[in-house]
Amino acid sequence: MRALESEYWKVIERFDAEAFRELMLTYGQEIWNYAFFLTKNPDYADDITQEVFLKVYGQIGSFRGESSIRTWLLAITRNMTFNYRRSTFLRRVVLVGAVSRRDSHPSAEQEALTNTLSNELWEIIMNLPVKFREVLVLNARYELSQREIAGLLGLSEGTVKSRLSRARQKVSVAWKEGTVYDRATT
C-alpha cells in the first residue's frame, strides 16, 4: 500500500483525469464504507463520497504529504460526514441496514448462520456511540495505528487507546449477552 501512496505523491504534480480516476478506484470503496460507518445510511454515504472526491479534485494541491493520502482522504471524509450530519434534515432517526459482502457461496445453512452472526455483530458495532464506533472501525477495518487515529481525530494517543479498549469491551459484552449462534446451539 505504501508503494501506491508514494506513486500518488509523484502524481500530484501532474494530477489529471486519469490520476483522479485511479485515486477514486483505489480509495472509493474505503471512503464510502467509512462514511457509512459514521452515518449508518447508504444514501448519505453515497453523497458524502461524491462530495469528498469533488473536494479532493479541487484541492489536491493542499495535500502536504504529512500523512498518507489514505489518511488524508479519511480525514476529509470524517469532516464532511460531521458537517453533513449537522444539517437539519439529518436530525431524525436513521434505521441501520446491514452491511454484508458475498465473496463465496457456502451451503445455504452455513450462509444463513454466517449472515445472521455478521449482521448481529454489525448491529452491535453500529449501535456503539460514535466516539467508540469510529476508533474501532478505523483500527479494525482500516488498520490505522493508534497514532494515525489520534492524528486523524485530533485526540491524544492515550484517548484513542482508551476508547479502543472500551469499544472492544462494549462489543464483547454485547456479543456475550446472546447471539443467534448461542440460541442455535442450545
Side-chain angles (χ1 to χ4, degrees), residues 68-84:
S68 67
I69 286 186
R70 180 177 182 229
T71 302
W72 182 63
L73 290 170
L74 291 172
I76 293 171
T77 304
R78 181 178 190 267
N79 292 336
M80 292 200 126
T81 299
F82 287 128
N83 289 339
Y84 203 79

Side-chain angles (χ1 to χ4, degrees), residues 19 36 50 71 76 83 90 103 117 131 134 166 180:
F36 177 79
Q50 182 177 15
T71 302
I76 293 171
N83 289 339
L90 286 176
D103 293 332
L117 293 173
K131 68 182 186 178
E134 188 170 28
R166 290 180 64 199
V180 169

Side-chain angles (χ1 to χ4, degrees), residues 40-69:
K40 301 181 183 182
N41 186 298
D43 295 327
Y44 300 157
D46 289 344
D47 293 344
I48 292 165
T49 301
Q50 182 177 15
E51 291 297 320
V52 165
F53 283 109
L54 285 173
K55 183 171 185 164
V56 166
Y57 186 76
Q59 297 181 358
I60 192 68
S62 70
F63 177 64
R64 297 183 306 261
E66 294 172 357
S67 65
S68 67
I69 286 186

Side-chain angles (χ1 to χ4, degrees), residues 44-140:
Y44 300 157
D46 289 344
D47 293 344
I48 292 165
T49 301
Q50 182 177 15
E51 291 297 320
V52 165
F53 283 109
L54 285 173
K55 183 171 185 164
V56 166
Y57 186 76
Q59 297 181 358
I60 192 68
S62 70
F63 177 64
R64 297 183 306 261
E66 294 172 357
S67 65
S68 67
I69 286 186
R70 180 177 182 229
T71 302
W72 182 63
L73 290 170
L74 291 172
I76 293 171
T77 304
R78 181 178 190 267
N79 292 336
M80 292 200 126
T81 299
F82 287 128
N83 289 339
Y84 203 79
R85 287 174 51 192
R86 284 186 197 114
S87 63
T88 57
F89 73 92
L90 286 176
R91 296 181 191 198
R92 63 177 189 245
V93 176
V94 179
L95 299 176
V96 178
V99 178
S100 63
R101 178 177 261 170
R102 297 173 192 229
D103 293 332
S104 63
H105 299 286
S107 71
E109 180 180 328
Q110 182 61 40
E111 187 173 339
L113 182 58
T114 301
N115 285 342
T116 302
L117 293 173
S118 178
N119 290 344
E120 282 190 10
L121 182 58
W122 278 116
E123 186 175 338
I124 290 168
I125 292 169
M126 295 303 284
N127 284 323
L128 289 174
V130 172
K131 68 182 186 178
F132 297 125
R133 182 175 69 231
E134 188 170 28
V135 294
L136 186 62
V137 167
L138 287 171
N139 180 257

